[in-house]
Amino acid sequence: MKTSKFLFVAAAFALLALWPLMAGQYGVDLVTKIMVFAIFALSLELLVGSTGLVCFGQAAFFGIGAYATVLLTPQDGAPSLLWLLPTCVLLAAFYALLVGALSLRTKGVYFIMVTLAFAQMAYYVVHDTPLGGGTDGIYLMSKPVLGTLLDLDKPQAFYGFTLACLVGVFGFLTLLLRSRFGRALAGIRVNEQRMRATGFSTYPYKLAAFVISGGIAGLAGFLFAVKDGFVNPELISWHLSGEVLIMIILGGLGHLRGALIGAFAFALLQEFFKSEAIFGEFAKHWHLGLGLAIIASVALLPRGLVGVPDQVITRLRGRSGRVREDALTEVSHG
């Protein structure tokens, strides 16, 4: 990671660490929610931006992690974080293993449709059966604890734990993508046929990335369930898969920083267009404003928000170059 990129990420995480000291309860709650979705966005970035696999069923793994959190919590007391969190992540990863083992045998639009089909299967399991409480959803009876050290029922403690998870996931994926495994994924994204020709069996690499991605999405689902204390089938709907895909496109595909920026930008745009103080009655139609803003950003920023600095520098260099050329022309004609 270049120095400028490292400083940006370090400054962002430092600001998040200091945020509870500067913001009120609403601000802390909002940023906690955004950090959960940033973890979710990082999970999809591993597939789409780093491996070239456009998955439209990522919400299934997110929802499984959330539902497992609620269903595995005992009725008579707070569960231990030490067993509940790994179990939820492993269940999401296991479903990702099943989905990936079948869907990765297809390519292109067929891969997209198969992942969507598996997500819809999971959706209807919780939507139409008593297991997931149907359309009403189910409530989390008690939030997990880690002995006397950590109680996730406390907003400040949960904020710190979510931030630690975000930093851990970001660091893990950074190391993963810089490893031999990560370079193999980059090669698959650029030209899978050439990777096969050089002797790489690409299927195991793609399956491993799919399982890791599912596990990270399950972690985000766990955090979401603990934060809200409630889950419903909308957590597995294709709408959520679409939203997280928009996040990484908005931030900039191929960059872990882009997933973070995209998650924050998407959530803040939602809050902006929902504001009745700014838009009055039009705030009821916030989807329209959000859609127009996303269309404009994609049209004007093809590399996403993460590419804005380079785009500005390129334009400034172009202007300075034109100024020098004009000056030389005037001198030659003078």
Side-chain angles (χ1 to χ4, degrees):
M1 187 182 295
K2 295 182 179 179
T3 303
S4 59
K5 297 177 182 178
F6 174 79
L7 291 176
F8 171 81
V9 173
F13 286 140
L15 179 61
L16 288 175
L18 297 173
W19 180 250
L21 302 177
M22 302 180 288
Q25 183 177 354
Y26 174 78
V28 171
D29 184 74
L30 175 61
V31 173
T32 302
K33 176 184 175 182
I34 297 175
M35 288 194 296
V36 171
F37 280 99
I39 295 173
F40 190 21
L42 285 170
S43 74
L44 188 59
E45 170 61 29
L46 176 62
L47 286 183
V48 181
S50 302
T51 316
L53 298 172
V54 181
C55 175
F56 210 66
Q58 197 74 0
F61 315 126
F62 180 85
I64 287 173
Y67 268 91
T69 304
V70 176
L71 294 173
L72 294 177
T73 297
Q75 301 290 325
D76 56 352
S80 172
L81 185 68
L82 291 177
W83 69 263
L84 183 60
L85 174 57
T87 302
C88 296
V89 171
L90 288 175
L91 286 174
F94 178 72
Y95 190 66
L97 176 63
L98 298 179
V99 174
L102 296 174
S103 62
L104 288 171
R105 300 186 184 279
T106 62
K107 294 182 179 180
V109 68
Y110 301 102
F111 174 78
I112 296 173
M113 296 306 297
V114 171
T115 56
L116 175 60
F118 274 105
Q120 289 301 100
M121 288 170 54
Y123 172 82
Y124 284 109
V125 166
V126 299
H127 184 274
D128 295 341
T129 66
L131 175 66
T135 56
D136 294 332
I138 45 178
Y139 287 90
L140 181 67
M141 301 305 296
S142 55
K143 298 186 178 182
V145 296
L146 184 60
T148 58
L149 299 176
L150 182 65
D151 184 1
L152 297 186
D153 195 27
K154 299 178 180 178
Q156 297 291 340
F158 183 72
Y159 180 94
F161 181 74
T162 304
L163 176 58
C165 289
L166 177 60
V167 173
V169 169
F170 189 92
F172 168 73
L173 290 179
T174 299
L175 294 176
L176 184 72
L177 295 178
R178 291 167 65 91
S179 68
R180 182 176 181 272
F181 178 80
R183 290 192 292 271
L185 295 183
I188 292 171
R189 184 191 71 245
V190 174
N191 193 323
E192 185 175 355
Q193 293 298 331
R194 183 176 296 176
M195 291 292 291
R196 289 178 177 175
T198 57
F200 275 90
S201 179
T202 59
Y203 180 81
Y205 283 93
K206 292 192 294 183
L207 182 58
F210 203 91
V211 172
I212 294 171
S213 174
I216 295 173
L219 169 62
F222 167 85
L223 293 170
F224 185 90
V226 174
K227 175 188 175 298
D228 278 12
F230 173 76
V231 295
N232 65 16
E234 293 306 310
L235 297 179
I236 310 181
S237 70
W238 64 270
H239 301 88
L240 186 58
S241 294
E243 286 183 3
V244 74
L245 186 59
I246 290 172
M247 290 178 193
I248 62 174
I249 294 173
L250 183 63
L253 288 175
H255 305 275
L256 295 179
R257 305 184 324 280
L260 297 181
I261 296 171
F264 275 83
F266 185 83
L268 293 177
L269 281 172
Q270 278 187 326
E271 293 298 316
F272 175 72
F273 286 109
K274 285 181 179 179
S275 175
E276 294 184 0
I278 299 175
F279 295 99
E281 290 295 321
F282 185 74
K284 297 178 181 179
H285 309 288
W286 63 271
H287 290 91
L288 177 60
L290 179 63
L292 292 173
I294 292 172
I295 292 172
S297 65
V298 171
L300 299 175
L301 305 171
R303 296 177 56 192
L305 294 172
V306 75
V308 170
D310 291 337
Q311 191 171 342
V312 171
I313 291 173
T314 300
R315 290 186 177 182
L316 290 176
R317 287 177 177 174
R319 290 179 180 178
S320 62
R322 286 194 296 272
V323 169
R324 285 195 295 269
E325 289 178 2
D326 294 341
L328 290 173
T329 301
E330 290 179 2
V331 170
S332 63
H333 285 81

